[in-house]
Amino acid sequence: MANSRGRARKRRSQAWFGREGKMGFIYRSWVKNRGIPHDQFDGRPVIGICNTYSELTPCNSHFRTLAEQVKTGVWEAGGFPLEFPVMSLGETLLRPTAMLYRNLASMDVEESIRANPLDGVVLLMGCDKTTPALLMGAASVDLPTIGVSGGPMLSGWYRGERIGSGTNTWSLSEDLRAGRITREEFHEAESCMHRSHGHCMTMGTASTMASMVEALGIGLPGNAAYPAVDARRNLIAREAGRRIVELVVKDVRMSRILTGAAFENAIRVNAAIGGSTNAVIHLIALARRLGVKLSLDDWDGLGRGVHTLVNLMPNGKYLMEDFCYAGGLPVVIRELGEAGLLRRNALTVSGKTIWQNSRKAENHNPDVIMTMAQPFKRDTGIAVLRGNLAPDGAIIKPSAATPKLMQHKGRAVVFEDIDDFHARIDDPKLKIDESSVMVLKNCGPKGYPGMAEVGNMPLPPRLLKKGITDLVRISDARMSGTAYGTVVLHVAPEAAAGGPLALVKDGDLVELDVARRRLQLHVSDEELTRRRTAWKPPKPAMARGYTRLYIDHVNQASEGADLDFLVGGSGSAVPRDNH
Ligand code: FES
């Protein structure tokens, strides 16, 4: 029995609730104030529901309902649920960027779990950074854990056309800048894009990370695509509540699920869904919390030969709601499994392997989900570039790039930082044409700080009006998962850490060759040495507080941009009490 005393004595929560005397009184009595009867402390699994609900995180604003479903599932399975809030990261409102706070939120999650009487955890996450923050924090404790994503919004519709979060925000903004639409039309589109609860419904970072949760096996089948307002989203939350009790009884910890095989599967799934480049950073950071060896080069190696199967924005035309109705992620996983591109035996929180979860999945719309034999785009895994401009690597998402620009030589147009970019990009005198390579510095983890999603720099209006829609763009920044273009990102080391990106000047010849995985600055070593001698590191953006801690301790993008002292975990040992 899940709540038998014999097993319960060993359970972590009994170090609190199973105590006698003064301490037992303290631990139980205050919890009883909600009407919790004494028998709930008999050693049954105590399940934490880690909630990122916040009105400041609109994508997660339905999480109270979801938490109630999880709770019901926990009660039904004989567990005792306790919901708790953690820092929530709203992508749209947080400044300077939610990524600055991913690691801080992960610390909140880790310490909240370890410090409390919990035997297992259900993580409620949705908006971009909430998913990696919760996974990373929970991984450093390593209790039995299930991830439940909040689900994507319903499709946006504007004047008879699908419009997708982010993707059409960029295109509508460019239409406005180029004078193709009016301000009134722009405002009208705002209320047509996000018309239900849920997270961004393109295959942006939130949908990518929800897919990663499912592909890693730490979420239940269907987790990625059920819309937030679909009854099945509630069902999956309810089922997670039931399953977590079982995982605690069987002591199936997070590290049993998040193995090297699970990460291999996730990387291939990311290629097959044309997923966000942000997943590269988040999965490397997560793996390093668990001691799983995962490098930037694994992304390139494992993604080779994997085709994009889904026709979803920002690479294609459909949205997550369409993906759900077509069969969702299990169809993609089945395709990979049949092509020999899946570690079939990877265990998942359903209690079955990933292959058992997916092998019978049916494709209900082959225009939305295509096949490995006839894919949407060929060989589109994340490409890792190296060269004298990025000794520790940079990445590009080929599925979002313009094919003819993937091999390109051009003269650099350099922006020293994002303020310099904003100050000059609309200047008609800016010397830039369709062969130029835009270079943006000081937007990496330390430089911004927080590595903002500014790598997909908007093009100058002059070029937009000429019908030019893409240029090679290079930076140490990230790019929104909903964005597109021939955009080289995450250049490491970043400019603010003294990487060669800091040395690029206007007019330098830059070469991008994606097929050869090359990113080269054609400037002599002697000249680069001269420039390095003259280079001075930028002053830290903040002298105190968390931002200062972040700047001093953040790792480079190629290492997951975690704080150096958070890599690894401290485990679930019960802390001493304070009385
Ligand atoms: Fe929350 Fe896009 S803004 S997922």
Side-chain angles (χ1 to χ4, degrees), residues 59 91-92 127-128 199-200 206:
C59 303
E91 196 65 25
T92 50
C127 197
D128 293 13
H199 59 67
C200 290

Side-chain angles (χ1 to χ4, degrees), residues 324-380:
C324 171
Y325 303 150
L329 200 69
V331 178
V332 173
I333 294 172
R334 176 182 55 70
E335 278 289 325
L336 291 173
E338 288 173 353
L341 293 168
L342 188 76
R343 295 284 294 270
R344 291 184 176 193
N345 288 333
L347 182 66
T348 75
V349 291
S350 73
K352 298 180 181 157
T353 66
I354 187 119
W355 181 241
Q356 288 168 333
N357 285 344
S358 314
R359 71 194 150 102
K360 291 190 180 148
E362 285 178 33
N363 187 350
H364 306 297
N365 190 341
D367 196 41
V368 176
I369 310 177
M370 303 194 184
T371 62
M372 285 297 282
Q374 286 186 304
F376 177 57
K377 290 188 180 181
R378 288 201 169 269
D379 205 4
T380 45

